[in-house]
Amino acid sequence: MGLVDYHTIVRQPMDLGTVRNRIEVAGIDGSPVFQHPEEVAAEVRRTFANAQAYNPPGSDVHVMAATLMEVFEAKWSQVGKITIIVII
């Protein structure tokens, strides 16, 4: 992609493909890569923050990353607030 300076700007790279892979695949010892859902959320946030850090404000990527972060946070705020009704 020609992002030769990416690693000088973004110190902890992350992308949604890697997040998905870590959710689906166990670690080397067979344990889950993520131990808690908040770890997943942190990596998703890192993905969007990196996109905003690397791309200049006003650019399509920066704007889309900010928008997706807002959508993610709105959806994430609902996690755990869903009431489950059990019928016996």
Side-chain angles (χ1 to χ4, degrees):
M1 294 181 79
L3 307 176
V4 295
D5 62 344
Y6 185 78
H7 292 285
T8 61
I9 296 169
V10 176
R11 300 289 182 190
Q12 294 180 310
M14 185 51 57
D15 62 86
L16 295 176
T18 300
V19 175
R20 179 181 178 175
N21 211 22
R22 289 179 178 178
I23 290 169
E24 294 175 344
V25 180
I28 294 172
D29 63 355
S31 66
V33 175
F34 296 116
Q35 301 298 315
H36 190 274
E38 194 58 45
E39 293 174 83
V40 177
E43 296 293 44
V44 171
R45 290 181 183 111
R46 181 189 327 265
T47 299
F48 298 134
N50 286 348
Q52 291 176 67
Y54 186 75
N55 295 279
S59 70
D60 287 346
V61 174
H62 188 101
V63 171
M64 286 185 282
T67 301
L68 288 171
M69 178 74 89
E70 289 175 14
V71 171
F72 173 76
E73 293 299 347
K75 299 286 185 185
W76 185 255
S77 71
Q78 298 304 308
V79 171
K81 295 182 182 179
I82 300 171
T83 304
I84 299 174
I85 300 171
V86 178
I87 301 173
I88 300 177

